Amino acid sequence: MLRLRSIAEIPSGLPTPVVLVPTMGSLHEGHRALIRRAREIAGEAGSVLVSIFVNPLQFDRPADLEAYPRAVESDLAICEQLGVDTVFFPEPTDFFAADHSIAVSEDLLSKPLCGATRPGHFEGVCTVVLKLFNVLTPTDALFGKKDYQQLAIIRRLVRDLALPVKIHGLETIRESDGLALSSRNLNLTAIQRADAPRLRRALLAARDLRINGEQRSEVYLETARLLLLQNAPEDLKIDYLQLVDRESLQLLANVTGNALLAAALYYDEVRLIDNIEI
Ligand code: PAF
């Protein structure tokens, strides 16, 4: 396995297809699923690349960046074990010049959901993803559907800037109690961790309204809100709960076509997100 610590070390002409799994490290079962799928797409002859970079540009709060879990040694061991061909894990100072002054902004899909309370977050994501695509020149890249808004925005980035990369979205991987896997789960206390599956349960209960043909968004939102707050611990806060169109991510008054119910919760400082297609 090739270990690249800087942009200058990246070789050109890797065997194609070159399939990239961009990550911020602390690899969990969700990342493993992305890497396994990347191997399938690349085949034996192609290349699987994993990038590990805790991107400072996408953190709006310095404390959140500081608290983000880091585990490079075990990440490298996981990559090795899964047969990854190349891992790119640059130093922040190598990847972005101290006086870097160009960014990629997105002005529509990034407004609702996570974008409403995390100013600059998706600009940071778009900027780092475009740069990763530029330096690693993948033919394909994989992203999880847990970060549904991120996936939609990256598809838009690729469409609007005509980037020659095929984007694959993969289903969310969950713990047996339904909690979506996330590196942030490591920061939950045992009590918060035990309570956290309420997020999935609330979304599932709301989705079930569709079986009886319910169309009013407010009914979905109210059902989910009640379950999110029922007997909730004091440190739980809803950041957002919104029903949007799956592609445009704009708010829906009625559920008629492809809808997405998405939520973000805080347990103290730890932020969890999840979503469900309706
Ligand atoms: O989903 C993530 O881990 C990050 O947002 C990404 C896509 C690697 C960009 O930093």
Side-chain angles (χ1 to χ4, degrees):
M1 186 174 77
L2 213 53
R3 298 169 185 225
L4 309 174
R5 302 240 47 188
S6 69
I7 293 176
E9 292 170 42
I10 299 171
S12 58
L14 289 173
T16 55
V18 176
V19 186
L20 172 65
V21 180
T23 81
M24 297 206 298
S26 277
L27 303 182
H28 51 61
E29 200 47 52
H31 296 111
R32 286 177 191 255
L34 290 168
I35 294 171
R36 287 195 195 98
R37 182 76 191 108
R39 182 83 270 162
E40 284 169 15
I41 296 168
E44 276 314 301
S47 316
V48 174
L49 252 84
V50 172
S51 63
I52 299 174
F53 182 61
V54 182
N55 170 28
L57 303 186
Q58 69 189 73
F59 287 83
D60 44 315
R61 294 177 305 143
D64 196 23
L65 172 62
E66 189 75 16
Y68 199 85
R70 288 161 173 87
V72 174
E73 284 315 313
S74 62
D75 288 345
L76 291 173
I78 290 170
C79 289
E80 188 91 62
Q81 181 208 350
L82 292 175
V84 169
D85 299 300
T86 303
V87 183
F88 177 56
F89 56 118
E91 292 293 336
T93 46
D94 173 72
F95 199 68
F96 288 118
D99 61 348
H100 77 98
S101 52
I102 301 285
V104 182
S105 65
E106 195 289 330
D107 284 336
L108 190 64
L109 310 189
S110 52
K111 296 300 174 209
L113 309 175
C114 293
T117 49
R118 302 188 72 193
H121 170 69
F122 288 113
E123 181 169 306
V125 170
C126 286
T127 305
V128 81
V129 168
L130 177 61
K131 187 150 181 182
L132 287 167
F133 287 178
N134 279 341
V135 298
L136 296 168
T137 58
T139 55
D140 299 72
L142 277 66
F143 298 86
K145 283 195 187 176
K146 181 176 75 70
D147 297 300
Y148 205 100
Q149 186 173 20
Q150 169 172 283
L151 175 61
I153 291 171
I154 288 167
R155 287 192 195 283
R156 185 61 66 95
L157 173 76
V158 164
R159 188 199 76 176
D160 285 1
L161 299 185
L163 305 177
V165 186
K166 181 168 181 201
I167 303 299
H168 305 257
L170 260 73
E171 292 306 320
T172 303
I173 307 292
R174 300 179 180 281
E175 301 280 5
S176 55
D177 59 10
L179 180 65
L181 292 194
S182 162
S183 307
R184 293 173 191 270
N185 295 350
L186 294 172
N187 292 341
L188 294 170
T189 65
I191 293 174
Q192 292 167 340
R193 171 63 191 84
D195 188 72
R198 75 163 58 236
L199 176 51
R200 172 71 171 163
R201 285 198 299 272
L203 297 180
L204 281 171
R207 186 193 60 183
D208 285 349
L209 295 169
R210 190 75 187 128
I211 298 167
N212 296 324
E214 180 58 61
Q215 292 197 347
R216 292 163 298 170
S217 291
E218 75 229 38
V219 180
Y220 287 89
L221 295 170
E222 204 39 41
T223 301
R225 181 175 304 281
L226 280 176
L227 289 168
L228 287 177
L229 296 177
Q230 197 172 53
N231 303 321
E234 264 179 25
D235 55 7
L236 182 152
K237 273 203 267 336
I238 299 178
D239 181 23
Y240 66 76
L241 174 66
Q242 287 178 338
L243 197 62
V244 296
D245 177 80
R246 267 187 238 169
E247 210 181 308
S248 71
L249 302 186
Q250 302 311 297
L251 294 182
L252 290 176
N254 287 302
V255 179
T256 46
N258 290 339
L260 183 81
L261 180 61
L265 295 183
Y266 275 106
Y267 286 94
D268 282 330
E269 295 290 303
V270 186
R271 190 165 178 281
L272 302 183
I273 60 172
D274 204 350
N275 62 73
I276 198 159
E277 293 178 345
I278 297 185

